[in-house]
Amino acid sequence: MTKANRNQERDTVLFAFHEAFERPTATQIIEWTERYPEFADDIRAHAAVAREWADDQHAVSAEADESLLSAGYSRALDLMHKARTSTSEAQRSFQDVIAARGMTVPQVARAIGIDRGVIADLFSGRMSGPIRNVFVDAAIGVLTMSRDTFARLHQHALSNPTLGYAKATHAPSVVVRPYDDIIRTCDDLTEDEKKKWLEEG
């Protein structure tokens, strides 16, 4: 990517961030820096200025001076530091993440374009890796998170699995299956869909 293209992409991201949040919260800043790690410093700086402008209704300058930028940036970092622990504690699981976004498992499945049973297996810790990149990319796009966050939540799900339904013949149990097996045996996916979700990526 050329420097001009990178600058254009950065400006597009910052404009979208500005349009989305008049006074961004620490949680929103964290989400966007995880979504666009290559522009994390720019997002933090922009968030700092946006918070300053929102706090000062009498601000008339179109550009922030260096002292305002530095002070705001420092405050934004402090807010993020304080919020990071509470955010990671509050959103330790996939269920926490979708609850925070006001989504359900069926909604996530529809947005990704896959059977909800596959999402349920992932969220409940019944899907082991390796998980194909084509699925991870689709999931992090819908859930607006980084690959690192996805990996952390997947590990948390595997460490804290949800029991399956009880059968008449035995107690409920946790059956963990590899991603590929789950896709291949999903009756609600067509052969073409299975092929898509089993692609190397």
Side-chain angles (χ1 to χ4, degrees), residues 8-199:
Q8 185 176 5
E9 184 180 352
R10 180 200 63 204
D11 292 345
T12 300
V13 168
L14 290 178
F15 182 77
F17 183 75
H18 173 74
E19 289 287 296
F21 313 110
E22 180 179 339
R23 190 179 191 281
T25 65
T27 300
Q28 291 163 341
I29 297 168
I30 291 169
E31 287 178 0
W32 276 66
T33 54
E34 287 183 345
R35 187 174 178 184
Y36 302 102
E38 67 274 27
F39 305 126
D41 288 341
D42 296 303
I43 291 168
R44 291 185 194 106
H46 182 84
V49 173
R51 289 179 65 88
E52 288 287 337
W53 286 350
D55 289 342
D56 184 4
Q57 296 299 318
H58 303 293
V60 294
S61 173
E63 293 184 10
D65 63 20
E66 285 298 318
S67 63
L68 174 62
L69 196 59
S70 296
Y73 183 71
S74 176
R75 276 194 286 279
L77 287 177
D78 183 54
L79 279 169
M80 288 176 61
H81 175 72
K82 290 176 180 175
R84 190 172 295 276
T85 301
S86 60
T87 298
S88 61
E89 285 300 312
Q91 297 188 358
R92 291 181 304 189
S93 70
F94 284 113
Q95 289 86 349
D96 294 332
V97 170
I98 65 171
R101 286 161 175 69
M103 300 179 78
T104 63
V105 168
Q107 288 172 331
V108 172
R110 279 193 298 274
I112 291 174
I114 199 167
D115 180 65
R116 67 182 179 180
V118 176
I119 302 301
D121 283 344
L122 169 68
F123 285 12
S124 63
R126 296 193 297 264
M127 177 190 291
S128 65
I131 301 176
R132 304 273 182 167
N133 286 330
V134 65
F135 177 80
V136 175
D137 290 342
I140 66 177
V142 168
L143 298 173
T144 60
M145 64 177 55
S146 67
R147 294 182 76 87
D148 288 343
T149 300
F150 180 91
R152 176 175 56 79
L153 295 177
H154 180 227
Q155 188 55 53
H156 179 272
L158 289 172
S159 300
N160 301 275
T162 303
L163 293 175
Y165 293 109
K167 306 275 185 175
T169 55
H170 57 77
S173 61
V174 175
V175 178
V176 180
R177 297 185 298 149
Y179 167 84
D180 283 8
D181 286 355
I182 291 171
I183 297 296
R184 286 191 187 104
T185 60
C186 182
D187 293 334
D188 294 316
L189 292 176
T190 67
E191 290 305 313
D192 284 344
E193 287 172 330
K194 290 177 183 180
K195 184 177 177 182
K196 168 191 171 182
W197 294 112
L198 292 171
E199 284 180 352

